[in-house]
Amino acid sequence: MKAFVRETLERQRLRLHELDALLSAPDAVSDLDRFRKLTREHAETDQLVQTYQRFLQREADLRDARGMAQDSGSDPELADMAREEAQAAEAELEQLNLALQTLLLPKDDDEDRNAFLEIRAGTGGDEAALFAGDLARMYTRYAERQGWQVELISESPAELGGYKEVVLRMVGHNAFGHLRFESGGHRVQRVPVTESQGRIHTSACTVAVLPEPDEAQAVQINPAELRIDTFRASGAGGQHINKTDSAVRITHLPTGTVAECQDDRSQHRNKAKAMQVLLARLQDQERSQREAKAAATRKGLIGSGDRSDRIRTYNFPQGRATDHRINLTLYKLGAIMEGDLDELVQGLRMARGAELMNELEQASGEATRGALA
């Protein structure tokens, strides 16, 4: 374990004692908002400290086992037992070390939120629209694997199938945290169904993943800056769809940002959902501006999730998917298109974790040098 990680964990042990005292104080519940924050911090810190204590225990077990293996002398059976215990302790210490580094990473306030997932067909015409449909299906299958609910917010179907644009709402634990690195340009290489000579074409779609806003912290919008239009929904939906102006489109006039919803028969509910999407898009614009300023001093491994970034290629003739940000290639494209995204998602999350841990180490080193100066 790196020295700065151990120092940080020791500080967290002291912080847990402070939190115990603060929460047991007679006036602890006088400020409910502060009490909730302290309770949440206590739960996170306690989990970290419990894991660290297990790490320290297994470190001691490893030392004892190695000492026993050396001191066993003429008792080969005891030496074998000690070596087995040492191997088990080393394996668990490796897992605990990784878990501790993960728990130490700065928490994104949006990590646990539901997510809006937007897919838009790019270059490639009809084939790009078909690919957009394939991506929507892929993410829907992934959501089902995670036990999430998927809601269709709006869609613009293409003539030959697929979508010109589709917006899905992913409802479930840590939805944004799992999908956040899917934002960017997705490229497909395959023979389109419309290709008569068997030539491979390259098409593209853009994906944007936005956290569902917290109503208490959402961007404040002046109603006078909104234009609200109603229209008849397109696509499947039966007779009602063609007879009622239930679909809603909301335009934020200062930025030109547009959101719409046509999923529900109720105009009122469609308006509420469209407003959620609009708030998410405006919040994402603010987030992107903040991250652009932070990225001016460094280039992140994962990138900002800019939709112009080409992040992944799906090559059907070779049966592979390649994520260009972490140089990960998987030869199981069929399973991936059926929603088996675990290796990609975990690879991206681990790469981001390593990047953040490196930043923490650098910050710790700078603070130490500053204290010694």
Side-chain angles (χ1 to χ4, degrees):
M1 177 181 287
K2 295 181 179 180
F4 92 95
V5 174
R6 195 179 293 271
E7 291 168 4
T8 304
L9 290 167
E10 289 294 340
R11 287 197 297 271
Q12 289 300 305
R13 285 216 286 186
L14 295 175
R15 178 57 178 165
L16 185 60
H17 292 310
E18 293 176 359
L19 291 168
D20 286 334
L22 290 169
L23 288 170
S24 61
D27 62 344
V29 295
S30 59
D31 185 340
L32 287 178
D33 186 53
R34 178 174 176 270
F35 179 75
R36 281 192 290 267
K37 289 180 180 178
L38 289 173
T39 302
R40 186 163 54 247
E41 184 185 353
H42 185 278
E44 293 174 354
T45 306
D46 184 61
Q47 181 185 9
L48 181 65
V49 170
Q50 293 289 343
T51 307
Y52 181 45
Q53 288 176 339
R54 176 63 179 173
F55 180 90
L56 293 175
Q57 178 60 54
R58 294 304 277 160
E59 264 192 335
D61 293 341
L62 179 59
R63 285 193 300 269
D64 292 344
R66 285 174 173 171
M68 186 181 298
Q70 291 176 352
D71 299 339
S72 58
S74 59
D75 190 339
E77 186 175 346
L78 186 60
D80 287 342
M81 288 177 58
R83 280 192 289 270
E84 288 179 8
E85 171 59 22
Q87 290 175 355
E90 285 176 342
E92 187 174 352
L93 281 169
E94 186 175 341
Q95 294 176 349
L96 289 167
N97 189 30
L98 181 60
L100 286 167
Q101 291 189 44
T102 302
L103 290 169
L104 277 174
L105 295 177
K107 301 293 190 298
D108 189 316
D109 292 339
D110 294 327
E111 195 84 357
D112 295 333
R113 298 199 184 285
N114 300 329
F116 290 110
L117 190 143
E118 307 175 354
I119 304 171
R120 293 180 178 83
T123 56
D126 293 330
E127 171 61 11
L130 290 170
F131 181 48
D134 292 338
L135 289 178
R137 183 176 182 274
M138 178 184 78
Y139 288 121
T140 298
R141 290 294 179 90
Y142 177 70
E144 291 170 353
R145 287 168 174 257
Q146 301 300 315
W148 303 340
Q149 294 180 345
V150 180
E151 297 178 6
L152 176 66
I153 298 297
S154 65
E155 62 176 337
S156 178
E159 292 181 4
L160 296 183
Y163 301 102
K164 298 175 184 176
E165 176 181 323
V166 60
V167 180
L168 304 173
R169 178 174 178 246
M170 302 295 188
V171 182
H173 175 65
N174 216 16
F176 179 71
H178 279 77
L179 293 172
R180 61 183 305 173
F181 299 122
E182 293 302 300
S183 292
H186 294 243
R187 185 178 67 171
V188 63
Q189 295 172 327
R190 64 184 176 187
V191 179
V193 293
T194 55
E195 169 60 54
S196 59
Q197 299 183 25
R199 292 174 297 189
I200 297 173
H201 288 225
T202 299
S203 304
C205 290
T206 56
V207 173
V209 182
L210 317 176
E212 185 175 74
D214 180 351
E215 293 184 4
Q217 301 176 356
V219 177
Q220 298 301 310
I221 297 179
N222 183 350
E225 296 177 340
L226 299 177
R227 186 179 72 235
I228 301 176
D229 302 307
T230 58
F231 59 98
R232 293 184 182 179
S234 60
Q239 296 179 351
H240 165 84
I241 288 291
N242 299 319
K243 292 184 177 180
T244 310
D245 289 346
S246 60
V248 175
R249 180 184 296 113
I250 304 178
T251 304
H252 184 239
L253 299 175
T255 62
T257 305
V258 179
E260 65 180 49
C261 182
Q262 54 182 290
D263 180 49
D264 204 291
R265 292 191 174 198
S266 164
Q267 185 183 109
H268 176 73
R269 287 192 291 270
N270 279 336
K271 180 180 176 182
K273 289 182 179 180
M275 183 61 76
Q276 279 188 313
V277 175
L278 180 68
L279 288 170
R281 288 177 177 170
L282 292 174
Q283 185 171 282
D284 183 59
Q285 290 174 11
E286 286 195 356
R287 171 196 281 266
S288 297
Q289 291 172 358
R290 291 195 305 270
E291 291 181 349
K293 290 179 181 178
T297 57
R298 65 169 180 82
K299 175 62 177 176
L301 170 68
I302 300 301
S304 63
D306 189 300
R307 299 168 206 182
S308 63
D309 293 341
R310 187 195 70 184
I311 65 168
R312 191 175 299 149
T313 296
Y314 305 76
N315 186 301
F316 277 75
Q318 297 179 14
R320 65 171 172 84
T322 299
D323 196 288
H324 304 289
R325 296 163 294 180
I326 55 176
N327 295 321
L328 175 63
T329 296
L330 300 174
Y331 287 89
K332 56 172 193 176
L333 184 56
I336 288 170
M337 299 309 295
E338 288 296 319
D340 184 3
L341 301 178
D342 291 336
E343 283 187 76
L344 288 165
V345 169
Q346 291 304 318
L348 290 162
R349 287 166 65 87
M350 289 177 64
R352 179 57 175 160
E355 184 182 43
L356 289 173
M357 187 57 64
N358 184 53
E359 291 177 11
L360 286 174
E361 185 173 8
Q362 290 178 355
S364 176
E366 291 173 1
T368 302
R369 288 191 293 273
L372 295 174

